[in-house]
Amino acid sequence: MKNAPASVLLLSALAALPAAAQAPAAAQAVTKGTAAAKVAAQSPSRATAQPLTGTVADSLGRQALPFATVVLQATDETKTLLSTVSDAQGAFRFEAVPAGRYTLQVRYVGYKTATPVALTVAADKPVALAPVLLAADRKLLAGVTVTATKPFIEQRADKLVLNVAASPIAAGGTAYDVLGRAPGVLESGAGFQLRGKNVTVLLDGKPTNLSGDELKTLLSAMPGNTLDKVEVIANPSARYDANGAALINIITTKSLKFGTNGVATLGVGAGQYGRYNAGLSLNHRTAKLNVFGSLDRQENKTYSTTSALRTAGGELEIRESGREVRLSQNNSAKLGFDYTLSKTTSFGITAKGMLNTRDRAADNLANLSTNAPLSSSLVATDGTARFLSPSVNVYYKTTLDTTGRTLSLNADYFGYQKAWQNEYDTRNFDGAMQETGPANLLRDNSPARNSVRSASADYSQPLHKGTLEAGLKTTFTTTDNDIRWEQATAGRPWTVDLGKTNHFIYRENINAAYGSYARTVQKTNVQVGLRAEQTNTDGTSLTTGQSTQRHYLSLFPSVAVQYNQSEKVQLGFSYSRKIDRFRFGIVNPFVTYISQYRYAQGNPNIRPSFSHNFEFTHSYNNLLTTSISYGHHTDVLMETYQKNDATQVVVNSFDNFRSAESLSASTTLMKPFRNNKWMTVTTLGLEYARINNTATVGLGAARPSAYLSTNHTITLPQGFKAEVSAMYMSPMTFGGLAFQSRFSSSFGVSKSLFKDAATLTLNVSDLFNTQQNRYSVLSNGINSVNADKVESRFVKLNFSYKFGNKNVKASQRRSTGIEAEKLRMDN
């Protein structure tokens, strides 16, 4: 009963906005690197096209300028206009430029516009330009570097980017805190949702393969200062796994300096209890070899509270209240290398590991009453857990020829081991709070050993004035959960609780192939793709001998069109078919204890959900962006509730329902003020979703919700920087759950020290301590009012220091082949 289901989109309808009100990104009107270039008219003299490449850099320090706008204008009668943006290393590429004469112009915020470059593209060879150097505009910068004016949130053509390193609030926090501040991203019971769509969480392109509490444990163990940026991708292409309608890719910091360098961090903080974090990362790079590693540790103690009031029939009421304190110690390590074999070929290995421990102590009091108290029960819980999650990635990447053909190979392994023990001491009382009978004891030992193994190959090449991408991938996932429950009465020996003890193994193999083609014709960018996934699953209960197997082939077409009406105005449309695969843990049919009156039970017969997703976008002048989305979902997977009238126990489970509809809209304003010293990003959105079901009372109830999020980053004199953010969401009803409004706000300030080598940050999260989850369950005859509060207000002081050489290229960023599986592990 804790959260809204994650399998269905929570979307909404935004009243029609003016066509001029749409939003941007430093690159909305532009095509991305490999799929760039607007091919123009059908003149015979332009039948042959060649790639054109170059770089953009600062004229003084020769530092790369990422995401600069690059415009290529034909000087002949065709008036061909092509545009793109530079990548993270300042490089840009037009894939297929028709032969002819052009002028190239580059623009970058805080820099003077460069003098247009005249050039000629011949029909027989590619063009490689000399670096385009831009001079800083001192009137705009007023002594502030480009890094200082970088906004926390950037809206780009295909994604939303959170520049975590530019956020004073992020320092001393965690990855979990950062994701909660992304516009349109909401927490759900199984992870996160974006515009109501299920989200797959990646880490440096690698899957987290976890959900629920396990995903929160992983993200809460990652210090915010170790993150570089977070990419929020609402409509992934066919290259990505079809599972999940949206992606969040967390990119960790990588050194950009030759020689040996590193970053040391130390932080302290307090909420109701104290906390600290410390970390060290080192990087050594030569012309061909880059070796990198890091160690990080966090220790924190937090509380959470729960309350529930349920009408059980007639005048009978059940009131529950609980409080839990958790002490977490999180340790992470990384070691790897990239090696450049030649100008066109590189390979590398990265190994990561996390070791987290958690101790918990909780009390839950339940009272039964009519007009007077009838009885009570108090459950005291003591638990320990240890999580070990190693992962290894091996990659090989090569450029096959000068035309731009590339091949990437990846092999991945991810392991997840959990040792989990809890002891429950239940004491019963009468209406006068006198203890009745001996205590009832219950304990569980629930180890888990899960693994994901994957291999993939991705190929890209120019083709017919466009870009062709294709790939193959195979993934094998195994989850092994051996859960042993024992019960006893105080003073009596322990006996096995056969109703809960079970050993369940789930195996899944997905074989996938994809192809996509992107091309620009005059002012229109088009990308079409098709992905095929063959899925084989086997869920086996070794306790009962029950086995459920499935084999199915699914096709996932996608299309995206962007019309560049002008340099200021862009219109977009996208369609994709997606699959929402269930979390691994919920196919286990056995019952799990939550509290005296709440249990959870899996369903081995559930099926994945499929959806058709449509989205329209409009952007204007790098200022406003607007999107309207619609989704139709079949075999929708929803959380269900069943009540035992004799015991008053409610069992949470899952089931498929025929279909659901979802609608959402949002508009984002990105506006700089005071010569770019004050950057504001504000998003207004509406969400609506409805289950098409009349058989289950309350399940089809729906109510739209509006949300508003705003973030302000202000660059101050003397190396100071401040940030303020806030989020409000109005009440919402969906799938038998009615949520009340939510609000939270945060503030942070940072100071650069020692010639920008160090940064001292002070921040306060959830300033007014208002962040909580309040909701009612109005489904299947259950009427309860609930409130869950996880400690969210903290004061944190963080210090980071960069040392070593300051001129190094970053280690390779690479995606791996296990994008979706970690998100689904919750055992």
Side-chain angles (χ1 to χ4, degrees):
M1 288 198 245
K2 291 181 69 174
N3 293 289
S7 59
V8 177
L9 318 181
L10 305 175
L11 301 173
S12 66
L14 182 63
L17 295 171
Q22 316 249 356
Q28 282 276 343
V30 294
T31 43
K32 262 183 80 174
T34 60
K38 296 186 177 155
V39 181
Q42 288 79 16
S43 170
S45 64
R46 308 178 70 79
T48 303
Q50 295 294 334
L52 183 150
T53 59
T55 58
V56 183
D58 179 269
S59 61
L60 294 178
R62 296 300 195 269
Q63 294 177 330
L65 297 180
F67 315 117
T69 300
V70 184
V71 179
L72 192 64
Q73 173 72 61
T75 58
D76 59 16
E77 71 284 353
T78 67
K79 301 302 180 184
T80 300
L81 179 69
L82 303 93
S83 60
T84 187
V85 288
S86 59
D87 62 18
Q89 285 71 47
F92 63 87
R93 179 184 181 92
F94 294 96
E95 198 63 58
V97 181
R101 295 181 179 179
Y102 296 85
T103 58
L104 182 138
Q105 192 169 55
V106 180
R107 292 187 296 274
Y108 195 80
V109 175
Y111 281 74
K112 297 178 181 178
T113 300
T115 302
V117 178
L119 58 96
T120 300
V121 177
D124 56 348
K125 63 179 181 179
V127 179
L129 300 177
V132 179
L133 304 178
L134 302 184
D137 190 335
R138 299 302 174 186
K139 294 181 180 179
L140 287 178
L141 294 180
V144 180
T145 66
V146 176
T147 301
T149 59
K150 195 172 187 179
F152 171 59
I153 301 173
E154 289 183 89
Q155 180 74 55
R156 299 184 189 162
D158 61 337
K159 70 186 73 172
L160 185 78
V161 179
L162 278 64
N163 295 301
V164 183
S167 170
I169 293 179
T174 66
Y176 181 77
D177 301 330
V178 173
L179 263 61
R181 295 170 54 215
V185 176
L186 300 174
E187 181 189 347
S188 70
F192 295 90
Q193 293 180 338
L194 172 65
R195 301 174 191 166
K197 304 174 183 178
N198 279 353
V199 169
T200 297
V201 179
L202 313 181
L203 180 59
D204 286 329
K206 307 170 180 63
T208 53
N209 275 10
L210 301 172
S211 63
D213 287 340
E214 315 304 353
L215 178 62
K216 295 175 185 178
T217 297
L218 175 74
L219 298 178
S220 298
M222 297 178 59
N225 56 271
T226 66
L227 308 185
D228 180 23
K229 63 185 65 175
V230 174
E231 298 176 336
V232 181
I233 307 172
N235 292 292
S237 67
R239 178 168 185 166
Y240 295 96
D241 287 345
N243 185 44
L247 294 178
I248 293 180
N249 185 24
I250 302 172
I251 301 175
T252 57
T253 55
K254 302 287 178 67
S255 173
L256 298 174
K257 308 176 180 70
F258 273 115
T260 301
N261 53 88
V263 179
T265 61
L266 180 64
V268 295
Q272 186 163 337
Y273 308 97
R275 53 172 46 204
Y276 80 88
N277 63 277
L280 175 67
S281 65
L282 295 172
N283 191 96
H284 177 75
R285 189 177 186 92
T286 64
K288 289 189 174 184
L289 178 66
N290 184 35
V291 181
F292 51 90
S294 64
L295 291 171
D296 290 281
R297 177 176 171 82
Q298 278 190 329
E299 182 171 313
N300 58 71
K301 189 176 182 180
T302 60
Y303 76 87
S304 62
T305 60
T306 60
S307 66
L309 174 61
R310 174 157 58 96
T311 301
E315 297 181 345
L316 180 63
E317 290 184 344
I318 301 176
R319 186 183 299 271
E320 292 187 74
S321 61
R323 177 182 169 87
E324 179 175 316
V325 176
R326 293 192 175 195
L327 174 63
S328 300
Q329 298 179 357
N330 307 311
N331 306 278
S332 60
K334 177 174 65 175
L335 180 64
F337 74 89
D338 299 316
Y339 186 76
T340 302
L341 294 170
S342 66
K343 292 183 179 180
T344 59
T345 305
S346 61
F347 78 97
I349 299 175
T350 300
K352 293 183 179 180
M354 297 187 69
L355 175 61
N356 307 320
T357 61
R358 186 265 296 147
D359 296 321
R360 61 187 289 238
D363 290 306
N364 191 84
L365 177 64
N367 296 302
L368 272 69
S369 64
T370 52
N371 294 323
L374 297 178
S375 64
S376 303
S377 60
L378 176 65
V379 179
T381 304
D382 287 305
T384 61
R386 185 185 65 184
F387 310 91
L388 176 64
S389 53
S391 63
V392 179
N393 166 256
V394 180
Y395 84 98
Y396 173 85
K397 183 177 182 180
T398 184
T399 301
L400 301 175
D401 55 32
T402 57
T403 66
R405 294 194 302 142
T406 62
L407 175 66
S408 298
L409 304 176
N410 276 275
D412 295 277
Y413 168 80
F414 170 78
Y416 176 73
Q417 299 179 27
K418 178 180 72 174
W420 179 290
Q421 298 90 27
N422 292 290
E423 294 188 357
Y424 306 90
D425 183 325
T426 303
R427 299 178 183 272
N428 298 298
F429 304 87
D430 59 21
M433 291 304 293
Q434 298 297 314
E435 189 168 357
T436 59
N440 296 316
L441 306 179
L442 185 68
R443 68 186 182 188
D444 75 300
N445 181 20
S446 307
R449 299 178 66 88
N450 305 338
S451 66
V452 181
R453 302 168 305 283
S454 175
S456 63
D458 298 286
Y459 173 79
S460 176
Q461 74 164 54
L463 179 67
H464 297 301
K465 302 179 182 180
T467 301
L468 172 69
E469 292 185 340
L472 300 171
K473 174 183 171 182
T474 184
T475 304
F476 295 88
T477 303
T478 301
T479 69
D480 186 342
N481 297 273
D482 189 3
I483 304 173
R484 182 181 179 87
W485 286 86
E486 295 179 308
Q487 59 185 352
T489 302
R492 299 289 185 88
W494 290 95
T495 60
V496 176
D497 187 339
L498 298 178
K500 301 184 183 71
T501 294
N502 70 96
H503 189 181
F504 186 80
I505 299 177
Y506 186 82
R507 296 182 177 90
E508 180 181 81
N509 165 230
I510 302 174
N511 301 305
Y514 78 90
S516 68
Y517 180 71
R519 180 176 174 178
T520 301
V521 180
Q522 296 190 16
K523 293 185 176 183
T524 304
N525 310 324
V526 180
Q527 183 181 58
V528 294
L530 179 65
R531 186 178 186 90
E533 293 188 354
Q534 168 66 40
T535 305
N536 310 289
T537 67
D538 182 2
T540 301
S541 172
L542 301 184
T543 305
T544 65
Q546 178 184 359
S547 178
T548 302
Q549 296 183 354
R550 283 197 174 91
H551 308 278
Y552 53 92
L553 173 66
S554 303
L555 298 179
F556 303 98
S558 63
V559 59
V561 180
Q562 179 172 299
Y563 174 64
N564 301 305
Q565 179 177 333
S566 66
E567 189 176 339
K568 290 186 176 181
V569 178
Q570 298 85 42
L571 300 173
F573 166 78
S574 67
Y575 161 78
S576 62
R577 184 174 188 254
K578 294 291 183 180
I579 183 173
D580 286 327
R581 290 191 172 90
F582 42 80
R583 292 178 285 132
F584 295 119
I586 65 175
V587 293
N588 188 339
F590 275 80
V591 172
T592 301
Y593 178 88
I594 299 176
S595 72
Q596 304 97 302
Y597 294 99
R598 286 187 292 167
Y599 291 77
Q601 184 176 22
N603 181 357
N605 298 313
I606 60 174
R607 303 177 301 278
S609 174
F610 292 87
S611 62
H612 296 277
N613 304 278
F614 304 84
E615 183 169 62
F616 296 88
T617 61
H618 173 269
S619 63
Y620 174 73
N621 197 31
N622 288 344
L623 178 68
L624 285 169
T625 184
T626 298
S627 68
I628 300 177
S629 304
Y630 167 76
H632 175 73
H633 314 267
T634 57
D635 275 340
V636 178
L637 182 63
M638 290 291 300
E639 190 170 8
T640 61
Y641 309 96
Q642 296 292 333
K643 182 179 67 172
N644 185 315
D645 291 329
T647 63
Q648 296 301 328
V649 170
V650 172
V651 178
N652 296 19
S653 189
F654 292 85
D655 205 349
N656 291 101
F657 294 88
R658 179 170 54 88
S659 64
E661 316 298 329
S662 60
L663 187 65
S664 74
S666 67
T667 185
T668 299
L669 168 69
M670 299 179 60
K671 178 66 176 175
F673 297 98
R674 300 181 62 82
N675 294 330
N676 294 314
K677 293 181 180 180
W678 175 10
M679 173 60 74
T680 176
V681 180
T682 300
T683 298
L684 172 66
L686 288 171
E687 298 185 345
Y688 176 79
R690 184 187 73 248
I691 303 296
N692 298 323
N693 178 272
T694 57
T696 303
V697 177
L699 192 64
R703 176 185 181 183
S705 174
Y707 65 88
L708 176 68
S709 66
T710 183
N711 179 273
H712 302 264
T713 305
I714 304 171
T715 301
L716 302 170
Q718 306 299 321
F720 283 94
K721 188 176 184 179
E723 181 184 2
V724 179
S725 69
M727 186 280 292
Y728 170 80
M729 188 165 190
S730 70
M732 173 180 62
T733 301
F734 169 73
L737 297 173
F739 288 88
Q740 296 187 40
S741 61
R742 284 178 277 179
F743 171 76
S744 64
S745 60
S746 299
F747 170 78
V749 61
S750 65
K751 174 70 168 72
S752 297
L753 302 170
F754 310 131
K755 298 181 179 179
D756 294 333
T759 303
L760 182 65
T761 304
L762 176 68
N763 60 59
V764 183
S765 59
D766 193 15
L767 274 167
F768 303 103
N769 201 28
T770 54
Q771 188 170 314
Q772 61 177 322
N773 196 19
R774 300 173 297 161
Y775 60 99
S776 299
V777 179
L778 304 170
S779 175
N780 209 25
I782 299 171
N783 188 350
S784 68
V785 179
N786 309 267
D788 301 331
K789 167 67 176 175
V790 177
E791 186 176 14
S792 53
R793 181 165 61 181
F794 302 101
V795 179
K796 291 166 285 190
L797 181 67
N798 196 76
F799 177 80
S800 65
Y801 181 75
K802 302 176 183 179
F803 57 90
N805 194 309
K806 298 183 178 180
N807 299 300
V808 174
K809 183 180 179 181
S811 56
Q812 295 278 355
R813 298 205 192 282
R814 52 189 183 269
S815 298
T816 70
I818 45 180
E819 283 85 1
E821 286 69 28
K822 290 183 187 176
L823 178 66
R824 298 164 59 202
M825 291 188 184
D826 60 345
N827 310 100

CSV table of all heavy atoms in Angstrom, one decimal, residues 18-42:
chain,number,residue,atom,x,y,z
A,18,PRO,N,0.4,28.5,-26.2
A,18,PRO,CA,0.7,29.3,-27.4
A,18,PRO,C,1.8,28.6,-28.2
A,18,PRO,O,2.7,28.1,-27.6
A,18,PRO,CB,1.1,30.7,-26.9
A,18,PRO,CG,0.5,30.7,-25.5
A,18,PRO,CD,0.5,29.4,-25.0
A,19,ALA,N,1.7,28.6,-29.4
A,19,ALA,CA,2.7,27.9,-30.3
A,19,ALA,C,4.1,28.5,-30.0
A,19,ALA,O,5.1,27.8,-30.2
A,19,ALA,CB,2.4,28.1,-31.7
A,20,ALA,N,4.1,29.8,-29.6
A,20,ALA,CA,5.4,30.4,-29.3
A,20,ALA,C,6.0,29.9,-28.0
A,20,ALA,O,7.2,30.2,-27.7
A,20,ALA,CB,5.3,31.9,-29.3
A,21,ALA,N,5.2,29.3,-27.2
A,21,ALA,CA,5.7,28.9,-25.9
A,21,ALA,C,6.3,27.5,-25.9
A,21,ALA,O,5.6,26.6,-25.7
A,21,ALA,CB,4.6,29.0,-24.8
A,22,GLN,N,7.5,27.3,-26.1
A,22,GLN,CA,8.1,26.0,-26.1
A,22,GLN,C,9.6,26.1,-25.8
A,22,GLN,O,10.1,27.1,-25.9
A,22,GLN,CB,8.0,25.4,-27.5
A,22,GLN,CG,6.6,25.6,-28.1
A,22,GLN,CD,5.9,24.4,-28.2
A,22,GLN,OE1,6.4,23.4,-27.9
A,22,GLN,NE2,4.7,24.4,-28.6
A,23,ALA,N,10.1,24.9,-25.5
A,23,ALA,CA,11.4,25.0,-24.9
A,23,ALA,C,12.5,24.3,-25.6
A,23,ALA,O,12.3,23.4,-26.3
A,23,ALA,CB,11.4,24.5,-23.5
A,24,PRO,N,13.6,24.6,-25.2
A,24,PRO,CA,14.8,24.5,-25.9
A,24,PRO,C,15.8,23.6,-25.3
A,24,PRO,O,15.7,22.9,-24.6
A,24,PRO,CB,15.3,25.9,-25.6
A,24,PRO,CG,14.9,26.1,-24.3
A,24,PRO,CD,13.6,25.5,-24.1
A,25,ALA,N,16.9,23.8,-25.6
A,25,ALA,CA,18.0,23.1,-25.1
A,25,ALA,C,19.0,23.7,-25.9
A,25,ALA,O,18.8,24.1,-27.0
A,25,ALA,CB,17.9,21.6,-25.4
A,26,ALA,N,20.2,23.7,-25.4
A,26,ALA,CA,21.2,24.3,-26.1
A,26,ALA,C,21.3,23.8,-27.5
A,26,ALA,O,21.9,24.3,-28.4
A,26,ALA,CB,22.5,24.2,-25.4
A,27,ALA,N,20.6,22.7,-27.8
A,27,ALA,CA,20.7,22.1,-29.1
A,27,ALA,C,19.4,21.6,-29.6
A,27,ALA,O,19.3,20.6,-30.3
A,27,ALA,CB,21.6,21.0,-29.0
A,28,GLN,N,18.2,22.2,-29.4
A,28,GLN,CA,17.0,21.7,-29.8
A,28,GLN,C,16.9,21.7,-31.3
A,28,GLN,O,16.2,20.8,-31.9
A,28,GLN,CB,15.8,22.6,-29.3
A,28,GLN,CG,15.5,22.3,-27.9
A,28,GLN,CD,14.6,21.1,-27.7
A,28,GLN,OE1,14.0,20.7,-28.6
A,28,GLN,NE2,14.6,20.5,-26.5
A,29,ALA,N,17.4,22.7,-32.0
A,29,ALA,CA,17.2,22.7,-33.4
A,29,ALA,C,18.2,21.9,-34.2
A,29,ALA,O,18.2,22.0,-35.4
A,29,ALA,CB,17.2,24.1,-33.9
A,30,VAL,N,19.0,21.2,-33.4
A,30,VAL,CA,20.2,20.6,-34.1
A,30,VAL,C,20.1,19.1,-34.1
A,30,VAL,O,19.6,18.5,-33.2
A,30,VAL,CB,21.4,21.1,-33.5
A,30,VAL,CG1,21.6,22.6,-33.7
A,30,VAL,CG2,21.4,20.7,-32.1
A,31,THR,N,20.8,18.6,-35.0
A,31,THR,CA,20.9,17.2,-35.1
A,31,THR,C,22.1,16.8,-34.2
A,31,THR,O,23.0,17.5,-34.0
A,31,THR,CB,21.2,16.7,-36.5
A,31,THR,OG1,22.1,17.5,-37.1
A,31,THR,CG2,19.9,16.6,-37.3
A,32,LYS,N,22.2,15.5,-33.8
A,32,LYS,CA,23.2,15.0,-32.9
A,32,LYS,C,24.3,14.4,-33.7
A,32,LYS,O,24.0,13.8,-34.7
A,32,LYS,CB,22.7,14.0,-32.0
A,32,LYS,CG,22.4,14.6,-30.7
A,32,LYS,CD,22.0,13.6,-29.7
A,32,LYS,CE,23.1,12.9,-29.2
A,32,LYS,NZ,22.9,12.0,-28.2
A,33,GLY,N,25.5,14.5,-33.3
A,33,GLY,CA,26.7,14.0,-33.9
A,33,GLY,C,26.6,13.1,-35.1
A,33,GLY,O,26.7,13.6,-36.2
A,34,THR,N,26.3,11.8,-34.9
A,34,THR,CA,26.4,10.9,-36.0
A,34,THR,C,25.2,11.0,-36.9
A,34,THR,O,25.2,10.4,-38.0
A,34,THR,CB,26.5,9.5,-35.5
A,34,THR,OG1,25.4,9.2,-34.7
A,34,THR,CG2,27.8,9.3,-34.7
A,35,ALA,N,24.1,11.6,-36.5
A,35,ALA,CA,22.9,11.6,-37.3
A,35,ALA,C,22.7,13.0,-37.9
A,35,ALA,O,21.5,13.4,-38.1
A,35,ALA,CB,21.7,11.1,-36.6
A,36,ALA,N,23.7,13.8,-38.1
A,36,ALA,CA,23.5,15.2,-38.3
A,36,ALA,C,23.1,15.5,-39.7
A,36,ALA,O,22.7,14.7,-40.5
A,36,ALA,CB,24.7,15.9,-37.9
A,37,ALA,N,23.2,16.6,-40.1
A,37,ALA,CA,23.2,17.2,-41.4
A,37,ALA,C,21.9,17.2,-42.2
A,37,ALA,O,21.2,16.2,-42.3
A,37,ALA,CB,24.2,16.5,-42.3
A,38,LYS,N,21.6,18.3,-42.7
A,38,LYS,CA,20.4,18.5,-43.4
A,38,LYS,C,20.8,18.4,-44.9
A,38,LYS,O,21.6,19.2,-45.4
A,38,LYS,CB,19.8,19.8,-43.2
A,38,LYS,CG,19.4,19.8,-41.8
A,38,LYS,CD,18.7,21.0,-41.5
A,38,LYS,CE,18.2,20.9,-40.2
A,38,LYS,NZ,18.0,22.0,-39.5
A,39,VAL,N,20.3,17.4,-45.6
A,39,VAL,CA,20.6,17.2,-47.0
A,39,VAL,C,19.7,18.0,-47.8
A,39,VAL,O,18.5,18.0,-47.5
A,39,VAL,CB,20.6,15.8,-47.4
A,39,VAL,CG1,21.0,15.6,-48.8
A,39,VAL,CG2,21.5,15.0,-46.5
A,40,ALA,N,20.1,18.7,-48.8
A,40,ALA,CA,19.3,19.7,-49.4
A,40,ALA,C,18.6,19.2,-50.6
A,40,ALA,O,18.1,18.1,-50.8
A,40,ALA,CB,20.0,20.9,-49.6
A,41,ALA,N,18.6,20.0,-51.5
A,41,ALA,CA,17.8,20.0,-52.7
A,41,ALA,C,18.3,18.9,-53.7
A,41,ALA,O,19.3,18.3,-53.5
A,41,ALA,CB,17.8,21.3,-53.3
A,42,GLN,N,17.5,18.7,-54.7
A,42,GLN,CA,17.7,17.6,-55.6
A,42,GLN,C,18.5,18.1,-56.8
A,42,GLN,O,18.4,17.6,-57.9
A,42,GLN,CB,16.4,17.0,-56.1
A,42,GLN,CG,15.7,16.2,-55.0
A,42,GLN,CD,15.0,17.0,-54.0
A,42,GLN,OE1,14.7,18.2,-54.2
A,42,GLN,NE2,14.6,16.4,-52.9
